[in-house]
C-alpha cells in the first residue's frame, strides 16, 4: 500500500519527490538524535538494573516521539517559507503545490522512512541466530510486525495532514491530538508479545485519523459514496 501511494500520487511530480525526500530526511535526523541521547543514557546507567533499563527504554520511545513531532513542526515552517518563495517566483502569483498537498507528501515521507527502518530491523532479526518461537513465544512476530509497520506508515501520512492543518489554522488542539495519538501508538507496543494489545488500538486510531484527515482535506460522505460506487 505504501508503494502504491508513492507510485500513483507522488512519483510523477518532481516537486513532490523533493518534498518527500526532505520529509524522510527530517524524520531520520530526529531518529538519530533520539537514538544518540538514549545510547548515552544507557551507557551512563547500570546495565544490571533491569527496572532502570526498562524505564530508560520507555523514556527513549517517548522522547523519540516528541522529537519526531518537533521535527515535523520544523518541516512545516520550512515548507511554509518554500511556498512563499514559489509564489514570489511564479508568473501568476500562485504556488504550484498547496499546503494540503505538501502535508500529505511530507507525511508519506515520514512514514516511508519509519517503515524502512522497521523493515531493516525485521530483516536483521530474520538473519538469526535462533528461530522465532523456539522458546514458546509467538511465531507471528514477523507477520504482526509487518502489519504494525504498515499502520505506522499510514498514521504518519494522516498525522502529517492533521498536524499541518493545525499549524496552518492555529488549532493547537489538533497538534496536541497528533502528539497524543503518536504517544499512544508507540506506548501500545510495550504490550507485545500480546500483539492484540498493540495492533487493535493502532488500527482503530488509524481509522479515526483517516476519517479526520479526509474531512479536513475537504472530503464528504457524498464524495466517498460516489467513489465507492465509481460514479
Amino acid at each position: 500500500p505504501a508503494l502504491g501511494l508513492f507510485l500513483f500520487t507522488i512519483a510523477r511530480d518532481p516537486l513532490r519527490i523533493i518534498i518527500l525526500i526532505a520529509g524522510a530526511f527530517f524524520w531520520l535526523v530526529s531518529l538519530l538524535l533520539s537514538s544518540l541521547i538514549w545510547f548515552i543514557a544507557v551507557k551512563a546507567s547500570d546495565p544490571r538494573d533491569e527496572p532502570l533499563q526498562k524505564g530508560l527504554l520507555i523514556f527513549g520511545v517517548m522522547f523519540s516521539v516528541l522529537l519526531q513531532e518537533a521535527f515535523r513542526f520544523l518541516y512545516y515552517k520550512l515548507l511554509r517559507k518554500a511556498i512563499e518563495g514559489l509564489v514570489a517566483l511564479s508568473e501568476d502569483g500562485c504556488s504550484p503545490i498547496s499546503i494540503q498537498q505538501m502535508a500529505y507528501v511530507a507525511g508519506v515521507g515520514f512514514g516511508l522512512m519509519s517503515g524502512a527502518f522497521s523493515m531493516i530491523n525485521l530483516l536483521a532479526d530474520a538473519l538469526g541466530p535462533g528461530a522465532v518461537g523456539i522458546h514458546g513465544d509467538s511465531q507471528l512476530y514477523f507477520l504482526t510486525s509487518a502489519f504494525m509497520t504498515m499502520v505506522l506508515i499510514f498514521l504518519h501520512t494522516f498525522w502529517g495532514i492533521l498536524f499541518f492543518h493545525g499549524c496552518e489554522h492555529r488549532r493547537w488542539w489538533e497538534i496536541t491530538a497528533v502528539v497524543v495519538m503518536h504517544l499512544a501508538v508507540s506506548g501500545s507496543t510495550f504490550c507485545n508479545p500480546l500483539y492484540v494489545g498493540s495492533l487493535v488500538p493502532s488500527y482503530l486510531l488509524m481509522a479515526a485519523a483517516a476519517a479526520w484527515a479526509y474531512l479536513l482535506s475537504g472530503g464528504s460522505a457524498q464524495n466517498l459514496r460516489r467513489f465507492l460506487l465509481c460514479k
Side-chain angles (χ1 to χ4, degrees):
L3 181 61
L5 289 179
F6 173 75
L7 292 177
F8 291 109
T9 63
I10 298 174
R12 297 181 180 180
D13 190 330
L15 182 58
R16 294 185 182 185
I17 293 177
I18 294 173
I19 295 172
L20 180 139
I21 294 174
F25 174 76
F26 268 72
W27 185 91
L28 180 60
V29 173
S30 71
L31 177 67
L32 291 175
L33 289 177
S34 58
S35 299
L36 177 62
I37 293 174
W38 176 79
F39 178 78
I40 294 173
V42 169
K43 288 298 181 181
S45 62
D46 183 2
R48 294 169 295 181
D49 190 342
E50 292 186 5
L52 176 60
Q53 293 302 314
K54 184 176 181 179
L56 287 176
L57 179 61
I58 295 174
F59 163 77
V61 171
M62 298 299 109
F63 181 78
S64 177
V65 168
L66 296 176
L67 199 59
Q68 287 177 45
E69 297 306 327
F71 270 79
R72 199 192 302 272
F73 178 74
L74 292 176
Y75 193 40
Y76 162 77
K77 287 293 188 180
L78 178 64
L79 291 179
R80 208 69 194 82
K81 292 292 183 181
I83 287 182
E84 295 175 2
L86 291 172
V87 170
L89 293 174
S90 64
E91 296 180 356
D92 56 0
C94 297
S95 172
I97 185 171
S98 66
I99 190 65
Q100 292 87 353
Q101 292 171 330
M102 283 186 170
Y104 163 74
V105 177
V108 174
F110 269 62
L112 286 179
M113 184 55 72
S114 172
F117 265 79
S118 297
M119 290 305 298
I120 289 173
N121 291 333
L122 284 176
L123 293 175
D125 290 338
L127 293 176
V132 175
I134 195 171
H135 294 298
D137 296 324
S138 174
Q139 298 184 6
L140 301 177
Y141 169 71
F142 292 111
L143 181 62
T144 53
S145 297
F147 276 104
M148 196 66 189
T149 299
M150 183 178 69
V151 75
L152 280 173
I153 293 174
F154 282 122
L155 278 170
H156 272 293
T157 303
F158 302 139
W159 288 338
I161 296 172
L162 297 174
F163 195 96
F164 278 43
H165 186 272
C167 293
E168 191 72 9
H169 297 276
R170 297 186 180 277
R171 296 180 179 178
W172 306 116
W173 60 272
E174 291 182 354
I175 299 174
T176 303
V178 170
V179 176
V180 170
M181 283 191 288
H182 199 167
L183 288 171
V185 171
S186 297
S188 68
T189 59
F190 290 108
C191 294
N192 295 336
L194 182 61
Y195 296 116
V196 175
S198 59
L199 284 176
V200 173
S202 297
Y203 273 85
L204 290 175
L205 282 175
M206 184 193 72
W212 192 0
Y214 175 73
L215 294 175
L216 290 182
S217 300
S220 64
Q222 184 179 6
N223 291 338
L224 181 61
R225 182 174 177 273
R226 288 178 177 177
F227 169 76
L228 294 175
L229 297 177
C230 299
K231 290 186 178 180

